[in-house]
Each structure stands twice: as C-alpha cells, then as structure tokens.
DNA sequence: TATATTTTGTTATTTTTTTAGCATATATGT
DNA sequence: ACATATATGCTAAAAAAATAACAAAATATA
C-alpha cells in the first residue's frame, strides 16, 4: 500500500497467486511452502519468495505460508478489501456481456451505471440497471462516487469520453477500445486489447 | 518466421507497432524514422530499432522506415498474411459478443463454428453460423481445418474441452476462462484473464 | 560533385528481472 | 530438551531487457 517501486511484472503476477491461494483455501489447505506452490504454479520458488517480500514477509521459517493469511494479505495489496463503484460506457455486445457477468461483484466491483449514445437503448435494464444517455455521465460520476469507468465503445468515442471522465475525477479507466488513451498520470488505465492478444496467438501459430 | 529466441516482451509489442503503422499508412504517411515513431508511441527509438532488428533490417540509413513495407512485414511476422479458421466454444454472453464482433474477420480470423452444451441454444444463429452441440466439436475441428478454438465457458468445462481440442490437433486456444490450461508445448495458449486485468487496475487505484 | 545531415544496424553499457545460495529461525520428532 | 529437518528472508550472482553510443551508409543540400 505504502511503498512504491514495485515493478509491473510483480503486480501482474499477484492475481495469479491470489487465484491459486483461493483454490488452496477452498480445498482446505492451511499452509504451503514456496517450494510446493512453485511446483503447483510452475514458477520458481525463489520468484515466489521475492515477490511476496516486496510487500513484507508473510511467511514463517520452517513453516511456510499460511494460506488464508496470505490470501487476505494479497487481497489487501490488490485493493480487494475495498469496494469499487463502476460504470460501463457502451452498452453494446461487449458492454452487455460485462454487465451481465456477476463474478466481478463478488470481488467488490459494483456496477452502478450504464451509458450509451444510442437512444434506442435508453431504459433497457441489465441486472436492474437502466441504460442512460452519455450526457449524464459527468453528473452521475460526481454524484455516485464512481471509481472506475469501463469503456466498451469504439476508439474515437473512447478518446473523447476519457477526456470527460478525467474532468469528473474518475480514478481508473478499464479500456476495451483499441486505442491508447492519453490521460494524466494520476489516472489508472488498464487496457484490454483483445486484438493484440489474438495477434500474439497468431504469432505463436506462425512460429510453432 | 524462421529464427527463434524472440522474447515474449518483443512479441507483445508487435501488435502495437502494427496498429500505429496502420494508422500512419491510413493517413498517407510514407516514411517514418525510429525517432519520430518513438515520440509518437512514447517508447525509446533504441527499443524500436532493436525490436525490428530481431526480425531483420527493415529500414534504410538516412531514410528511416517505409511505413507500408514495415506494416506488411510485421503482418507477416504476426502471421496475419494467412487466414485462420476458428470456432467459439460457449455461446453465452462473452461468446456471443465475440461472435458478433466483425473486426477479427478483417484480419483473417474466420468464424466457422459455434458450440454450446445448452440445447436451448442449438440452432441459434450469429452472423449466419448456427450454434451446435459440443459433441460435434471433435468431428468439426478435424473436418473444417480449424486452427483456433475460443473458450468462453466456465473453468471446469474449459479444462475438459481443452483436452478434447488437443486430441483434435487444434493449433491454438484463446482462453477466456479463469484457469490455467494444461496442454502440450506445441499448442499455443493465449489467456485473457479479465479478472486479473481488473485486479491490476484495482492495485493501481490502491497505490495512487 | 562535395559536404553536411540524417538515421539505421549493431555493439557496448546500464538497468531490471530472475535465479541461486545460504544463514537463520522455526517446526517436528525422539 | 535436544537434534534434525524445513523453509523463509535476504544477499549475491546470473540472465535478460532496455538504453545509449557510434560507425557506416544513405539522403539531402548547396
Ligand atoms: N465485441 C468484441 O468481441 C470486441 C472485441 C475486441 C474489441 N472490442 C472493442 O470493444 C468496443 C465495443 O465493442 P462491441 O462489440 O460491444 O461494439 P457494439 O457496436 O456492439 O457496441 C458499442 C456500443 O457503444 C455505443 N457507443 C458508440 N459510441 C459511443 C459513445 N461515444 N458514447 C457512448 N456510447 C457509444 C453504441 O451505441 C453501441 O451500443 C469497441 O471499441 C471494440 O473495438 C470488442
Ligand atoms: N462475460 C464476461 O464479462 C466475462 C468476464 C470475465 C471472464 N469471463 C469468463 O468467460 C466465460 C464465459 O462467460 P459468460 O459471461 O459468457 O458466461 P455465460 O454463462 O453467459 O455463458 C457460458 C456459456 O457456456 C456454455 N457452457 C458451459 N459449459 C460448457 C461446456 N462444457 N461446453 C460447452 N458450452 C458450455 C453455457 O451453456 C453458456 O451458454 C467464463 O469462463 C467466465 O469466467 C466472462
């Protein structure tokens, strides 16, 4: 939470640790050594210990790591101990799929609003939330303590909408449009570039 | 295509180069120096030159890079000069969103089949393709020269379906389920773990 | 045509990331 | 209580990645 200079590579590995620890916990495992976790996850034990030690020592020599404790500590590091209010901008195919997906709520990501520029969609409800006009975004974000905006609109709209969201003091943007958003440093942007992912896959096929 | 030992970090940057070069090409730019591309993309010119030189020299001293040529070369490296036949397994929210998305076809990723285990969906058409039973996957993949399977089903189903796909000699799996698939080395797996992405975003919020 | 400028490809250097090694602390078993 | 086995946290080494430097080649200019 406090100390900086954690590399992106380390942060990117945390969710995977979190997932494995959750599964261990669910199956009743109380403790695990970096060695055992290492063979389970197919990474080196050294990397596991280094990663955790970036955030302080969560283990005990001769014992290993307490699964439940470590799981909760990682949740805190990832900010999953707090809830986040989010809106989805773009209630098309992808926006609706995300809106209908329940599992994010379980991790504290609460859908509060849905926006589109197509009037035909206004009033359409997804999980009890009605789609409204994009013109309401600014007020809505300010009045409803929205942390995260999910952008599931085409790229031109995404760039312009990002500017609006910046004005509203949004904390983070989860961007599914295939464009790099230009926002101030204090705003978190996480891109999901599906076509990039598909091209990497294509590279993999082309190069055995 | 031929030489190996290209790091994943380099491959992961190629789609972004490809996107910027496409945009430059579309706006009529014929040539660009690593320096100019560097300030456009906000990476170092050195990295750009190193990256391209992994695959051979595409530029000319004193001139720079020919945009059209480089764009096409990167397409070849990424295997985008060939078409790929794909199927989607899981015609739920996400599967349908991907099926309805037209842009992948433009890059040569052709949707050939849709599969689900829910009989209520059988026959439902998306872009002219009817959903069919998962029991047909094996035959269909073998008979229709399918390269890529997109997994948009829950994790338990994904692990089992991956095993079936391996038996069918699938080349690659684009996995949206939140689980690590265990497949032979010669099969390409590209994971899209959206919840991991959302957790990284959450980390970003929690740590300023 | 000669000269100055541009810009790559490549080698060298620096930085970052990963892996290995080990001293020390804790647990376990007798 | 003591000895032995475990397994972390940390430091050191190795490997990988990113950046810088620069000679050579091509372009542009006068
Ligand atoms: N669907 C996919 O599988 C997929 C895959 C990769 C990338 N994407 C990206 O996700 C985004 C959405 O994809 P989709 O398939 O859901 O498209 P879609 O056309 O189904 O939905 C887009 C929605 O956004 C709305 N919209 C457009 N401009 C807007 C604006 N400025 N403000 C508010 N709403 C606006 C439209 O009215 C529409 O309802 C696109 O950027 C696309 O490139 C989607
Ligand atoms: N929708 C999202 O926004 C989202 C986000 C993150 C991850 N995911 C992941 O994507 C997957 C699908 O999500 P969704 O929202 O589309 O779910 P969904 O429930 O809408 O659709 C899943 C579909 O898969 C089918 N199915 C289930 N098991 C199957 C099997 N063994 N073989 C064939 N079909 C099977 C179901 O009948 C259903 O039609 C899940 O693994 C989910 O974790 C989805």
């Amino acid at each position: 939470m406090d100390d900086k200079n954690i590399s992106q590579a380390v942060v990117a590995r945390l969710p995977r640790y979190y997932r494995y620890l959750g599964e261990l916990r669910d199956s009743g495992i109380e403790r695990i050594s970096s060695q055992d976790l290492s063979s389970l996850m197919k990474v080196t034990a050294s990397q596991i210990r280094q990663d955790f030690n970036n955030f302080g020592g969560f283990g005990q020599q001769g014992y290993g790591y307490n699964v439940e404790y470590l799981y909760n500590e990682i949740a805190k590091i990832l900010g999953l101990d707090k809830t986040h209010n989010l809106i989805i901008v773009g209630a098309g195919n992808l926006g609706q799929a995300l809106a209908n997906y329940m599992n994010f709520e379980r991790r504290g990501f609460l859908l509060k609003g849905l926006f589109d520029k197509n009037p035909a969609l206004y009033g359409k409800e997804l999980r009890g939330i009605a789609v409204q006009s994009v013109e309401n975004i600014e007020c809505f974000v300010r009045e409803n303590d929205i942390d995260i905006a999910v952008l599931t609109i085409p790229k031109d709209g995404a760039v312009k909408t990002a500017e609006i969201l910046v004005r509203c003091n949004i904390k983070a943007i989860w961007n599914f449009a295939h464009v790099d958003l230009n926002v101030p440093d204090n705003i978190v942007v996480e891109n999901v570039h599906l076509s990039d992912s598909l091209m990497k896959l294509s590279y993999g096929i082309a190069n055995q």
Side-chain angles (χ1 to χ4, degrees), chain A:
Chain A
M1 254 54 105
D2 29 318
D3 45 3
K4 280 281 97 59
N5 296 39
I6 307 293
S7 88
Q8 271 309 108
V10 173
V11 175
R13 284 192 291 266
L14 292 178
R16 188 157 177 264
Y17 291 130
Y18 187 65
R19 173 155 52 91
Y20 274 85
L21 288 163
E23 283 167 8
L24 286 167
R25 190 197 58 161
D26 292 346
S27 57
I29 310 287
E30 274 182 17
R31 56 183 267 197
I32 192 155
S33 67
S34 58
Q35 193 54 249
D36 289 351
L37 191 56
S38 140
S39 46
L40 195 64
M41 295 185 63
K42 288 168 184 157
V43 296
T44 65
S46 210
Q47 181 165 75
I48 291 173
R49 294 201 297 273
Q50 288 282 42
D51 283 350
F52 293 163
N53 276 97
N54 278 298
F55 307 97
F58 301 129
Q60 203 166 12
Q61 287 168 329
Y63 174 87
Y65 298 89
N66 179 286
V67 169
E68 178 89 29
Y69 174 71
L70 183 55
Y71 178 79
N72 291 327
E73 286 301 312
I74 294 178
K76 279 190 225 163
I77 294 166
L78 289 170
L80 304 177
D81 54 337
K82 302 177 188 71
T83 60
H84 298 283
N85 296 330
L86 61 82
I87 59 168
I88 294 177
V89 184
N93 284 293
L94 195 52
Q96 291 189 29
L98 291 169
N100 282 324
Y101 191 64
M102 309 288 292
N103 284 358
F104 297 143
E105 302 263 326
R106 287 219 282 263
R107 293 275 138 74
F109 298 92
L110 311 175
L111 178 62
K112 296 289 180 177
L114 278 163
F115 298 86
D116 206 288
K117 72 165 188 189
N118 180 0
L121 290 168
Y122 297 169
K124 173 168 182 166
E125 286 200 3
L126 295 160
R127 299 216 346 263
I129 312 272
V131 178
Q132 54 184 308
S133 163
V134 282
E135 286 172 19
N136 303 339
I137 288 182
E138 197 147 356
C139 287
F140 192 92
V141 168
R142 291 185 194 280
E143 287 168 14
N144 292 274
D145 196 26
I146 303 299
D147 306 305
I148 303 170
V150 184
L151 291 188
T152 45
I153 53 179
K155 55 185 173 182
D156 310 311
V159 172
K160 283 166 61 187
T161 304
E163 286 169 13
I164 294 169
L165 292 164
V166 168
R167 282 208 304 275
C168 307
N169 295 318
I170 200 89
K171 287 188 189 151
I173 297 175
W174 201 21
N175 175 42
F176 287 78
H178 203 207
V179 66
D180 295 323
L181 302 179
N182 202 346
V183 301
D185 278 352
N186 62 318
I187 293 176
V188 179
V189 175
E190 177 73 23
N191 292 303
V192 180
H193 291 329
L194 293 179
S195 51
D196 287 15
S197 171
L198 193 51
M199 288 184 203
K200 278 198 282 174
L201 180 146
S202 173
Y203 176 90
I205 294 176
N207 301 77
Q208 192 217 77

mmCIF file of all heavy atoms in Angstrom, chain A residues 34 49-50 59 61-62 65, chain D residues 6-12:
data_model
loop_
_atom_site.group_PDB
_atom_site.id
_atom_site.type_symbol
_atom_site.label_atom_id
_atom_site.label_comp_id
_atom_site.label_asym_id
_atom_site.label_seq_id
_atom_site.Cartn_x
_atom_site.Cartn_y
_atom_site.Cartn_z
ATOM 1 N N SER A 34 6.874 -22.260 -0.291
ATOM 2 C CA SER A 34 7.142 -21.676 -1.606
ATOM 3 C C SER A 34 7.503 -22.794 -2.588
ATOM 4 O O SER A 34 7.180 -22.706 -3.773
ATOM 5 C CB SER A 34 8.256 -20.644 -1.517
ATOM 6 O OG SER A 34 9.439 -21.210 -1.007
ATOM 7 N N ARG A 49 9.104 -16.200 -3.381
ATOM 8 C CA ARG A 49 9.555 -15.556 -2.136
ATOM 9 C C ARG A 49 9.927 -14.091 -2.372
ATOM 10 O O ARG A 49 9.569 -13.206 -1.582
ATOM 11 C CB ARG A 49 10.736 -16.331 -1.543
ATOM 12 C CG ARG A 49 10.348 -17.724 -1.071
ATOM 13 C CD ARG A 49 11.331 -18.274 -0.047
ATOM 14 N NE ARG A 49 12.669 -18.456 -0.587
ATOM 15 C CZ ARG A 49 13.077 -19.547 -1.216
ATOM 16 N NH1 ARG A 49 12.266 -20.572 -1.400
ATOM 17 N NH2 ARG A 49 14.320 -19.633 -1.663
ATOM 18 N N GLN A 50 10.621 -13.847 -3.467
ATOM 19 C CA GLN A 50 10.978 -12.462 -3.802
ATOM 20 C C GLN A 50 9.727 -11.606 -3.986
ATOM 21 O O GLN A 50 9.657 -10.478 -3.491
ATOM 22 C CB GLN A 50 11.798 -12.417 -5.096
ATOM 23 C CG GLN A 50 13.205 -12.938 -4.963
ATOM 24 C CD GLN A 50 14.145 -11.940 -4.320
ATOM 25 O OE1 GLN A 50 13.772 -11.281 -3.352
ATOM 26 N NE2 GLN A 50 15.354 -11.852 -4.835
ATOM 27 N N GLY A 59 5.549 -15.047 5.492
ATOM 28 C CA GLY A 59 5.758 -16.454 5.836
ATOM 29 C C GLY A 59 6.507 -16.629 7.145
ATOM 30 O O GLY A 59 6.803 -15.664 7.844
ATOM 31 N N GLN A 61 9.687 -19.088 8.809
ATOM 32 C CA GLN A 61 10.719 -20.080 8.515
ATOM 33 C C GLN A 61 10.376 -21.422 9.161
ATOM 34 O O GLN A 61 9.915 -21.474 10.285
ATOM 35 C CB GLN A 61 12.075 -19.588 9.004
ATOM 36 C CG GLN A 61 12.613 -18.466 8.112
ATOM 37 C CD GLN A 61 13.795 -17.760 8.705
ATOM 38 O OE1 GLN A 61 13.901 -17.664 9.929
ATOM 39 N NE2 GLN A 61 14.689 -17.264 7.875
ATOM 40 N N GLY A 62 10.614 -22.461 8.427
ATOM 41 C CA GLY A 62 10.321 -23.804 8.922
ATOM 42 C C GLY A 62 8.870 -24.202 8.795
ATOM 43 O O GLY A 62 8.521 -25.370 8.960
ATOM 44 N N TYR A 65 3.923 -20.635 4.380
ATOM 45 C CA TYR A 65 2.945 -19.556 4.373
ATOM 46 C C TYR A 65 1.584 -20.090 4.801
ATOM 47 O O TYR A 65 1.170 -21.165 4.367
ATOM 48 C CB TYR A 65 2.830 -18.939 2.976
ATOM 49 C CG TYR A 65 4.113 -18.311 2.489
ATOM 50 C CD1 TYR A 65 5.055 -19.065 1.796
ATOM 51 C CD2 TYR A 65 4.390 -16.970 2.745
ATOM 52 C CE1 TYR A 65 6.248 -18.486 1.352
ATOM 53 C CE2 TYR A 65 5.569 -16.395 2.318
ATOM 54 C CZ TYR A 65 6.491 -17.160 1.624
ATOM 55 O OH TYR A 65 7.667 -16.587 1.200
ATOM 56 P P DT D 6 12.915 -32.734 5.636
ATOM 57 O OP1 DT D 6 11.986 -33.749 5.173
ATOM 58 O OP2 DT D 6 14.191 -32.474 4.933
ATOM 59 O "O5'" DT D 6 12.085 -31.389 5.693
ATOM 60 C "C5'" DT D 6 12.335 -30.514 6.725
ATOM 61 C "C4'" DT D 6 11.283 -29.426 6.805
ATOM 62 O "O4'" DT D 6 11.852 -28.414 7.665
ATOM 63 C "C3'" DT D 6 11.000 -28.712 5.500
ATOM 64 O "O3'" DT D 6 9.724 -28.109 5.620
ATOM 65 C "C2'" DT D 6 12.145 -27.709 5.427
ATOM 66 C "C1'" DT D 6 12.310 -27.313 6.902
ATOM 67 N N1 DT D 6 13.708 -26.993 7.339
ATOM 68 C C2 DT D 6 13.892 -25.888 8.133
ATOM 69 O O2 DT D 6 12.977 -25.183 8.500
ATOM 70 N N3 DT D 6 15.195 -25.654 8.487
ATOM 71 C C4 DT D 6 16.313 -26.393 8.144
ATOM 72 O O4 DT D 6 17.429 -26.071 8.538
ATOM 73 C C5 DT D 6 16.041 -27.547 7.315
ATOM 74 C C7 DT D 6 17.181 -28.418 6.878
ATOM 75 C C6 DT D 6 14.769 -27.787 6.950
ATOM 76 P P DA D 7 8.894 -27.589 4.400
ATOM 77 O OP1 DA D 7 7.448 -27.661 4.695
ATOM 78 O OP2 DA D 7 9.459 -28.224 3.188
ATOM 79 O "O5'" DA D 7 9.318 -26.065 4.379
ATOM 80 C "C5'" DA D 7 8.906 -25.218 5.449
ATOM 81 C "C4'" DA D 7 9.577 -23.879 5.259
ATOM 82 O "O4'" DA D 7 10.956 -23.947 5.690
ATOM 83 C "C3'" DA D 7 9.619 -23.424 3.798
ATOM 84 O "O3'" DA D 7 9.306 -22.060 3.754
ATOM 85 C "C2'" DA D 7 11.055 -23.664 3.393
ATOM 86 C "C1'" DA D 7 11.746 -23.320 4.698
ATOM 87 N N9 DA D 7 13.129 -23.765 4.831
ATOM 88 C C8 DA D 7 13.736 -24.822 4.232
ATOM 89 N N7 DA D 7 15.004 -24.959 4.539
ATOM 90 C C5 DA D 7 15.248 -23.910 5.412
ATOM 91 C C6 DA D 7 16.395 -23.480 6.098
ATOM 92 N N6 DA D 7 17.564 -24.107 6.018
ATOM 93 N N1 DA D 7 16.273 -22.391 6.889
ATOM 94 C C2 DA D 7 15.087 -21.782 6.971
ATOM 95 N N3 DA D 7 13.936 -22.082 6.378
ATOM 96 C C4 DA D 7 14.088 -23.166 5.608
ATOM 97 P P DT D 8 8.987 -21.266 2.410
ATOM 98 O OP1 DT D 8 7.560 -21.370 2.091
ATOM 99 O OP2 DT D 8 9.975 -21.643 1.382
ATOM 100 O "O5'" DT D 8 9.252 -19.810 2.931
ATOM 101 C "C5'" DT D 8 8.625 -19.414 4.146
ATOM 102 C "C4'" DT D 8 9.559 -18.544 4.959
ATOM 103 O "O4'" DT D 8 10.822 -19.225 5.155
ATOM 104 C "C3'" DT D 8 9.865 -17.202 4.296
ATOM 105 O "O3'" DT D 8 9.518 -16.160 5.201
ATOM 106 C "C2'" DT D 8 11.359 -17.250 3.991
ATOM 107 C "C1'" DT D 8 11.888 -18.329 4.939
ATOM 108 N N1 DT D 8 13.024 -19.105 4.381
ATOM 109 C C2 DT D 8 14.272 -18.962 4.948
ATOM 110 O O2 DT D 8 14.497 -18.204 5.890
ATOM 111 N N3 DT D 8 15.263 -19.728 4.379
ATOM 112 C C4 DT D 8 15.133 -20.615 3.333
ATOM 113 O O4 DT D 8 16.095 -21.253 2.914
ATOM 114 C C5 DT D 8 13.806 -20.716 2.773
ATOM 115 C C7 DT D 8 13.557 -21.648 1.622
ATOM 116 C C6 DT D 8 12.829 -19.970 3.320
ATOM 117 P P DG D 9 9.223 -14.694 4.665
ATOM 118 O OP1 DG D 9 8.348 -14.011 5.645
ATOM 119 O OP2 DG D 9 8.829 -14.792 3.251
ATOM 120 O "O5'" DG D 9 10.672 -14.037 4.734
ATOM 121 C "C5'" DG D 9 11.238 -13.754 6.005
ATOM 122 C "C4'" DG D 9 12.648 -13.209 5.821
ATOM 123 O "O4'" DG D 9 13.491 -14.232 5.227
ATOM 124 C "C3'" DG D 9 12.750 -11.987 4.911
ATOM 125 O "O3'" DG D 9 13.632 -11.077 5.563
ATOM 126 C "C2'" DG D 9 13.311 -12.544 3.603
ATOM 127 C "C1'" DG D 9 14.149 -13.723 4.080
ATOM 128 N N9 DG D 9 14.285 -14.851 3.153
ATOM 129 C C8 DG D 9 13.311 -15.372 2.332
ATOM 130 N N7 DG D 9 13.717 -16.415 1.635
ATOM 131 C C5 DG D 9 15.037 -16.584 2.014
ATOM 132 C C6 DG D 9 15.991 -17.551 1.581
ATOM 133 O O6 DG D 9 15.852 -18.472 0.768
ATOM 134 N N1 DG D 9 17.229 -17.369 2.216
ATOM 135 C C2 DG D 9 17.493 -16.389 3.142
ATOM 136 N N2 DG D 9 18.732 -16.373 3.640
ATOM 137 N N3 DG D 9 16.610 -15.479 3.558
ATOM 138 C C4 DG D 9 15.404 -15.635 2.952
ATOM 139 P P DC D 10 13.925 -9.668 4.981
ATOM 140 O OP1 DC D 10 14.033 -8.733 6.132
ATOM 141 O OP2 DC D 10 12.965 -9.392 3.903
ATOM 142 O "O5'" DC D 10 15.388 -9.843 4.376
ATOM 143 C "C5'" DC D 10 16.413 -10.412 5.183
ATOM 144 C "C4'" DC D 10 17.602 -10.765 4.321
ATOM 145 O "O4'" DC D 10 17.324 -11.964 3.546
ATOM 146 C "C3'" DC D 10 17.993 -9.700 3.289
ATOM 147 O "O3'" DC D 10 19.382 -9.481 3.389
ATOM 148 C "C2'" DC D 10 17.623 -10.323 1.953
ATOM 149 C "C1'" DC D 10 17.861 -11.799 2.265
ATOM 150 N N1 DC D 10 17.202 -12.741 1.324
ATOM 151 C C2 DC D 10 17.922 -13.842 0.865
ATOM 152 O O2 DC D 10 19.076 -14.009 1.255
ATOM 153 N N3 DC D 10 17.333 -14.702 0.002
ATOM 154 C C4 DC D 10 16.076 -14.495 -0.397
ATOM 155 N N4 DC D 10 15.541 -15.380 -1.237
ATOM 156 C C5 DC D 10 15.311 -13.376 0.069
ATOM 157 C C6 DC D 10 15.912 -12.525 0.922
ATOM 158 P P DT D 11 20.033 -8.142 2.817
ATOM 159 O OP1 DT D 11 20.191 -7.186 3.932
ATOM 160 O OP2 DT D 11 19.299 -7.766 1.596
ATOM 161 O "O5'" DT D 11 21.470 -8.668 2.371
ATOM 162 C "C5'" DT D 11 21.998 -9.874 2.910
ATOM 163 C "C4'" DT D 11 22.802 -10.583 1.833
ATOM 164 O "O4'" DT D 11 21.943 -11.479 1.076
ATOM 165 C "C3'" DT D 11 23.448 -9.656 0.800
ATOM 166 O "O3'" DT D 11 24.728 -10.169 0.486
ATOM 167 C "C2'" DT D 11 22.512 -9.763 -0.385
ATOM 168 C "C1'" DT D 11 22.129 -11.234 -0.296
ATOM 169 N N1 DT D 11 20.869 -11.605 -1.002
ATOM 170 C C2 DT D 11 20.834 -12.782 -1.712
ATOM 171 O O2 DT D 11 21.781 -13.540 -1.799
ATOM 172 N N3 DT D 11 19.635 -13.054 -2.328
ATOM 173 C C4 DT D 11 18.493 -12.273 -2.292
ATOM 174 O O4 DT D 11 17.485 -12.631 -2.881
ATOM 175 C C5 DT D 11 18.596 -11.048 -1.532
ATOM 176 C C7 DT D 11 17.409 -10.130 -1.436
ATOM 177 C C6 DT D 11 19.764 -10.772 -0.937
ATOM 178 P P DA D 12 25.754 -9.351 -0.399
ATOM 179 O OP1 DA D 12 26.786 -8.817 0.487
ATOM 180 O OP2 DA D 12 24.977 -8.441 -1.283
ATOM 181 O "O5'" DA D 12 26.389 -10.483 -1.322
ATOM 182 C "C5'" DA D 12 26.091 -11.862 -1.068
ATOM 183 C "C4'" DA D 12 26.158 -12.624 -2.366
ATOM 184 O "O4'" DA D 12 24.821 -12.833 -2.883
ATOM 185 C "C3'" DA D 12 26.936 -11.931 -3.485
ATOM 186 O "O3'" DA D 12 27.689 -12.924 -4.173
ATOM 187 C "C2'" DA D 12 25.829 -11.338 -4.360
ATOM 188 C "C1'" DA D 12 24.755 -12.408 -4.227
ATOM 189 N N9 DA D 12 23.381 -11.960 -4.475
ATOM 190 C C8 DA D 12 22.773 -10.811 -4.034
ATOM 191 N N7 DA D 12 21.525 -10.692 -4.411
ATOM 192 C C5 DA D 12 21.294 -11.846 -5.146
ATOM 193 C C6 DA D 12 20.146 -12.320 -5.819
ATOM 194 N N6 DA D 12 18.986 -11.673 -5.860
ATOM 195 N N1 DA D 12 20.255 -13.505 -6.459
ATOM 196 C C2 DA D 12 21.417 -14.157 -6.419
ATOM 197 N N3 DA D 12 22.562 -13.815 -5.813
ATOM 198 C C4 DA D 12 22.426 -12.627 -5.195
#
